[in-house]
């Protein structure tokens, strides 16, 4: 946790996708201070005609290397989110050759009760993870 869902235009190799996922994980570890084993990543690949990512009128150029990332997470705060945005684009550019203009990120915040990591239990609420302690 957090859960990172990447939307990519199809065509990247397995090695390119692994580099992208590794770079994102490192950025997340630094910005959100989560344990290294907190790694939940999904990649969805789309035909070019099935993925339209425009610039909201900001004049941001996009290419076929565009990455749309949805981050589902407990609240992290504005500073941690901003740090994650910056670290992610820096690492994706350095490690994967993806231009910062090709990276769009949306953070969807949720609460402890919205997570179950298995066994049908809300581990943050039961105290099995660093959330609330059982009463």
């Amino acid at each position: 946790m957090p859960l990172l869902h990447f939307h990519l235009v199809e065509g990247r190799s397995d090695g390119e996708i692994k580099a992208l996922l590794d770079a994102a994980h490192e950025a997340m570890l630094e910005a959100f201070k989560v344990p290294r084993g907190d790694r939940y990543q999904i990649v969805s690949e789309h035909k070019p005609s099935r993925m339209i990512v425009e610039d909201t009128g900001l004049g941001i150029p996009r290419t076929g290397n565009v990455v749309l990332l949805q981050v589902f997470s407990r609240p992290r705060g504005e500073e941690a989110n901003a740090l994650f945005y910056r670290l992610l684009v820096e690492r994706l550019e350095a490690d994967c050759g993806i231009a910062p203009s090709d990276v769009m990120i949306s953070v969807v915040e949720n609460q402890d009760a919205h997570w179950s990591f298995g066994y049908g239990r809300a581990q943050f609420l039961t105290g099995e993870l660093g959330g609330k302690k059982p009463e």
Side-chain angles (χ1 to χ4, degrees):
M1 199 302 281
L3 169 62
L4 280 60
H5 187 179
F6 298 84
H7 296 273
L8 312 172
V9 175
E10 66 185 4
R12 288 180 167 91
S13 70
D14 287 345
E16 290 171 319
I17 290 174
K18 182 180 181 333
L20 184 150
L21 297 177
D22 289 347
H25 189 62
E26 291 302 318
M28 187 196 66
L29 290 173
E30 186 173 339
F32 295 158
K33 308 293 187 222
V34 298
R36 182 159 290 281
D38 253 357
R39 189 165 183 171
Y40 302 94
Q41 299 172 315
I42 300 168
V43 173
S44 295
E45 295 183 275
H46 308 276
K47 295 177 188 275
S49 64
R50 304 293 195 270
M51 189 166 160
I52 299 172
V53 182
E54 295 186 348
D55 67 359
T56 315
L58 297 171
I60 299 171
R62 308 281 192 204
T63 73
N65 280 333
V66 69
V67 174
L68 173 61
L69 173 58
Q70 296 172 299
V71 179
F72 301 90
S73 177
R74 303 162 86 187
R76 301 288 171 178
E78 291 178 11
E79 288 183 23
N81 285 344
L83 178 60
F84 176 69
Y85 302 155
R86 182 178 58 78
L87 292 173
L88 180 64
V89 298
E90 287 173 359
R91 286 193 167 90
L92 290 180
E93 185 173 38
D95 299 350
C96 307
I98 298 170
S101 58
D102 267 333
V103 181
M104 181 176 169
I105 307 160
S106 175
V107 175
V108 179
E109 292 184 346
N110 52 41
Q111 303 301 317
D112 291 350
H114 300 136
W115 294 92
S116 173
F117 294 89
Y119 298 112
R121 295 192 302 262
Q123 285 87 352
F124 286 125
L125 299 181
T126 64
E128 294 169 82
L129 286 172
K132 298 178 183 176
K133 299 295 178 207
E135 297 179 1

